[in-house]
């Protein structure tokens, strides 16, 4: 799919293409929205990114420890995340995972609490605690974001540093079609949230790379322990994501029957349709 055939809502976004710390000096290959990229890093650390078929370098941003770029013309800068600048938070980059699935499917899975007991058994959920209690969802028009608030779920081990099962409070935030964040109960502070982000890099409509990141209040766990915990969760999700059918996210009504627990998914899909997002989606009845 050529850039000219991609919907504007998907094209005119900032996307993560790598963790800056792992980009090698010299030339390396990457990909975004069906377009091959060449990343050039000088000995000085200066970086330029070129898209196949274009002479000029792409626009870049350096934020949250990632390199961001775009094939279009974003109307806004990268979303704010104040917690990223709090000096006492642990910044934990969790690597990258390639997934043979639509990037939109990955974001929607991130919003879903109902799968916790069945996919992340004895960690993020466990039987008989399978009910998703009613929560609030809204499209915040001033920020153009989807939010789910007042979410709660019993979890045997909500975080690596957790020692007992707790009822975890959640807030979910979708900033762009392919970026999302959750704020969750922090086991080490009664007044602050742990922050976990997922920035999806769509390689093609049915294949992507997921870049998880965490900003935590945790001065006990090692970075390796925190990364392994988060990767365990995501790799459990990958098994489900790569076996979902259809591969692309259906946006047409009644293609997949939602339940009350899917309120965030319903709002997310409605928001995507309003924007005219089709990359990684199917709209055919």
């Amino acid at each position: 799919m050529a850039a000219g055939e991609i919907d504007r809502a998907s094209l005119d976004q900032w996307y993560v293409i790598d963790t800056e710390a792992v980009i090698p000096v010299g030339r390396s290959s990457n990909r975004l929205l069906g377009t091959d990229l060449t990343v050039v890093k000088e000995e000085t650390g200066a970086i330029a990114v070129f898209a196949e078929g274009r002479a000029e370098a792409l626009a870049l941003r350096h934020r949250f420890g990632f390199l961001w770029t775009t094939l279009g013309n974003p109307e806004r800068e990268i979303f704010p995340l104040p917690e990223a600048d709090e000096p006492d938070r642990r910044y934990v980059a969790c690597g990258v995972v390639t997934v043979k699935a639509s990037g939109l499917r990955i974001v929607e899975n991130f919003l879903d609490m109902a799968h916790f007991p069945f996919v992340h058994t004895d960690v993020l959920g466990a039987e008989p605690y399978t009910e998703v209690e009613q929560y609030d969802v809204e499209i915040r028009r001033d920020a153009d974001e989807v939010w789910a608030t007042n979410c709660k779920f019993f979890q045997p081990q909500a975080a690596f540093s957790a020692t007992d099962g707790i009822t975890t409070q959640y807030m979910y935030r979708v900033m762009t079609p392919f970026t999302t964040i959750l704020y969750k109960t922090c086991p080490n502070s009664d007044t602050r949230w742990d922050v976990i982000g997922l920035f999806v890099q769509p390689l093609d409509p049915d294949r992507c790379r997921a870049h998880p990141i965490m900003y935590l209040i945790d001065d006990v766990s090692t970075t390796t322990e925190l990364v392994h915990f988060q990767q365990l969760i995501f790799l459990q999700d990958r098994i489900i994501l790569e076996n979902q059918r259809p591969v692309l996210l259906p946006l047409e009504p009644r293609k997949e029957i939602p339940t009350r627990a899917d309120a965030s998914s319903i709002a997310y899909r409605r928001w995507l349709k309003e924007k005219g997002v089709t990359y990684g989606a199917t709209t055919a009845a």
Side-chain angles (χ1 to χ4, degrees):
M1 181 180 290
E5 300 171 350
I6 300 170
D7 65 272
R8 295 306 311 186
S10 297
L11 196 65
D12 294 339
Q13 301 287 348
W14 293 104
Y15 291 95
V16 165
I17 60 168
D18 245 327
T19 303
E20 284 205 74
V22 305
I23 298 174
V25 172
R27 300 168 70 89
S28 56
S29 298
N30 213 305
R31 188 172 175 84
L32 177 65
L33 296 170
T35 299
D36 287 330
L37 306 179
T38 300
V39 181
V40 181
K41 184 176 181 179
E42 306 291 345
E43 293 282 355
T44 61
I47 298 176
V49 178
F50 298 89
E52 183 180 23
R54 299 192 193 186
E56 295 185 358
L58 300 179
L60 299 179
R61 296 291 185 269
H62 308 266
R63 193 74 176 101
F64 314 131
F66 292 106
L67 181 66
W68 302 68
T69 193
T70 181
L71 294 174
N73 298 287
E75 295 181 357
R76 300 190 297 177
E77 282 298 322
I78 294 168
F79 52 86
L81 182 58
E83 291 84 0
D85 300 316
E86 294 176 355
D88 63 337
R89 282 190 180 270
R90 294 278 299 277
Y91 159 71
V92 185
C94 301
V96 58
V97 180
T98 300
V99 186
K100 296 177 182 178
S102 162
L104 304 178
R105 282 283 198 194
I106 292 178
V107 172
E108 186 177 70
N109 177 80
F110 189 81
L111 303 175
D112 176 46
M113 291 181 287
H115 76 286
F116 287 172
F118 310 105
V119 178
H120 310 299
T121 308
D122 296 330
V123 181
L124 298 186
E127 296 187 72
Y129 307 102
T130 60
E131 181 183 3
V132 177
E133 297 184 31
Q134 187 168 346
Y135 55 93
D136 300 320
V137 182
E138 62 179 328
I139 299 174
R140 297 187 178 178
R141 300 295 179 182
D142 55 339
D144 192 23
E145 297 180 349
V146 180
W147 280 75
T149 55
N150 296 318
C151 309
K152 52 188 176 182
F153 206 87
F154 176 80
Q155 299 186 321
Q157 187 179 4
F160 182 80
S161 59
T163 55
D164 297 300
I166 59 173
T167 297
T168 303
Q169 303 286 332
Y170 276 87
M171 293 191 299
Y172 289 94
R173 173 188 177 198
V174 184
M175 301 79 67
T176 74
F178 294 92
T179 62
T180 182
I181 285 171
L182 70 83
Y183 305 84
K184 64 184 297 187
T185 299
C186 174
N188 303 309
S189 173
D190 294 332
T191 59
R192 302 168 75 185
W193 300 86
D194 276 343
V195 179
I196 301 174
L198 186 64
F199 308 144
V200 178
Q201 173 190 355
L203 305 174
D204 297 290
D206 59 354
R207 190 169 64 97
C208 60
R209 300 207 303 164
H211 303 265
I213 189 171
M214 301 189 290
Y215 290 97
L216 309 177
I217 306 297
D218 183 345
D219 57 4
V220 176
S221 307
T222 68
T223 298
T224 298
E225 289 169 336
L226 294 171
V227 170
H228 283 178
F229 181 81
Q230 189 61 26
Q231 288 185 344
L232 167 67
I233 299 301
F234 196 86
L235 291 174
Q236 290 173 337
D237 282 324
R238 185 170 71 173
I239 296 170
I240 304 302
L241 286 163
E242 292 190 339
N243 284 282
Q244 282 186 304
R245 295 295 182 270
V247 174
L248 304 185
L249 182 71
L251 296 183
E252 65 276 12
R254 296 179 296 278
K255 185 68 175 180
E256 294 180 338
I257 300 173
T259 67
R260 187 186 68 180
D262 299 319
S264 58
S265 169
I266 294 169
Y268 175 58
R269 294 190 188 197
R270 184 170 70 245
W271 184 68
L272 293 174
K273 288 185 68 175
E274 289 178 2
K275 290 179 170 300
V277 172
T278 59
Y279 199 86
T282 174
T283 56

